Amino acid sequence: MFQPLTVATAKVDLPNWDDSEITVDAREAVGDGTFSPETPSTGPGDPRKYEFRLACTQGDIVIFEACRDVMPACASGANSPDGKPGTAIYWYYSDPAFSPPVWTFLSGPECVFGEKPRDVLAEIAGQIAHEFQRTPIAAAKIGSQPGPHTLRGKETNVWADAATQTFNLTMIGQKVTITATPVAYTWDYGDGTSWGPTPIHGAPLHEDRIGEQTQTSHVYVATGRLAINLTTHFNGTYTVNGGPELPISGQGNIPSPALPLTVWRAETHLYADNCFQNPRGVGC
């Protein structure tokens, strides 16, 4: 989509379209070097959206006679306020009831003077990967069973709780929505053992099943104090002004706060005393 700029009118008669009150005026540059444009509207109550697109490309010039009429003066800058060449555009409109917008040809070609129309979608596409890396994506939460204490030689179940997240921002004057979706996980169990990236995030077990092996569980072979670390890998997509969802190159790799864990050892001893008969016996 392009941002409207200053245009010099080239009248085009359209069937079933009353353009007697339509004006598209060229404007003088204001202090910051920008222009104050007017779109082809029937007045303040016109509910439609407008955008323009580059016109009179090489193929258009061959096919459309209107391009052959407009382009000589446009390219020479004959009607330009500063004598510089202009750019030909087509006007399109859309009913705001449609989401995403459905664009319909309205008029053109017309010659734009001033700055060259900006391909806003291309500019956003070029910047979106950088913006995705800056997006404050919330890290996954880590859980463990048992925890915060576990036993050496036993299965310790771990899992990640991550959510799909959306972020709204403005880029080049356009409304952009970024969606970050968790797709993979890299586990660091804290004892030098790691696993991933894997799409498996794990899940908590029912209390009567703690100690069973799971896809994300780990057996510690030594006692000590350690920390479980996790990096969640997010894929990104984005939309511009409610348009189609587009992919973002690269991933967001978001580390979670470390989860402390203490590994203990369990000892089993056999005693001869019957604690019911001798409650003060060894081991009772």
Side-chain angles (χ1 to χ4, degrees):
M1 190 177 78
F2 296 95
Q3 292 179 328
L5 295 178
T6 305
V7 294
T9 304
K11 283 283 188 177
V12 178
D13 293 327
L14 298 175
N16 302 319
W17 177 254
D18 181 6
D19 61 357
S20 59
E21 300 298 325
I22 298 176
T23 59
V24 183
D25 299 329
R27 297 299 183 88
E28 295 294 332
V30 295
D32 59 358
T34 60
F35 289 83
S36 176
E38 289 187 6
T39 57
S41 172
T42 57
D46 187 357
R48 292 182 297 186
K49 300 178 182 178
Y50 295 90
E51 76 168 23
F52 65 73
R53 303 175 186 177
L54 292 178
C56 297
T57 60
Q58 185 175 1
D60 289 347
I61 292 175
V62 174
I63 298 173
F64 301 111
E65 292 185 3
C67 286
R68 293 196 291 270
D69 296 336
V70 169
M71 283 308 295
C74 189
S76 67
N79 299 321
S80 172
D82 56 9
K84 294 182 179 179
T87 302
I89 63 169
Y90 296 126
W91 278 109
Y92 284 76
Y93 72 92
S94 175
D95 188 322
F98 294 106
S99 182
V102 177
W103 296 105
T104 302
F105 176 80
L106 173 62
S107 64
E110 297 168 350
C111 191
V112 176
F113 296 113
E115 296 182 8
K116 183 179 180 180
R118 300 169 66 182
D119 188 342
V120 175
L121 284 182
E123 291 188 38
I124 291 176
Q127 301 175 23
I128 196 67
H130 175 69
E131 289 296 332
F132 182 54
Q133 297 301 323
R134 297 175 55 196
T135 302
I137 301 172
K141 296 180 180 179
I142 310 174
S144 73
Q145 292 172 312
H149 306 283
T150 191
L151 292 175
R152 180 186 65 182
K154 301 296 184 180
E155 295 285 350
T156 300
N157 180 46
V158 297
W159 70 90
D161 183 7
T164 297
Q165 301 159 57
T166 58
F167 306 88
N168 297 313
L169 63 156
T170 300
M171 295 179 64
I172 319 178
Q174 312 303 309
K175 294 180 180 180
V176 176
T177 298
I178 291 177
T179 301
T181 303
V183 294
Y185 307 84
T186 298
W187 293 96
D188 178 351
Y189 292 103
D191 62 350
T193 305
S194 61
W195 180 42
T198 172
I200 301 171
H201 53 75
L205 292 169
H206 191 274
E207 290 184 2
D208 61 5
R209 297 183 60 190
I210 294 177
E212 293 184 8
Q213 184 180 16
T214 68
Q215 290 179 299
T216 55
S217 65
H218 182 64
V219 176
Y220 292 96
V221 297
T223 61
R225 299 180 184 273
L226 48 83
I228 300 172
N229 288 278
L230 170 70
T231 299
T232 305
H233 309 282
F234 288 81
N235 281 352
T237 59
Y238 73 104
T239 64
V240 180
N241 297 328
E245 195 169 54
L246 303 170
I248 300 175
S249 61
Q251 285 187 323
N253 303 311
I254 310 300
S256 297
L259 180 68
L261 188 70
T262 303
V263 182
W264 299 86
R265 69 175 182 271
E267 295 182 355
T268 302
H269 298 277
L270 298 177
Y271 297 98
D273 280 322
N274 184 321
C275 292
F276 291 104
Q277 298 174 355
N278 183 16
R280 296 185 178 183
V282 177
C284 294

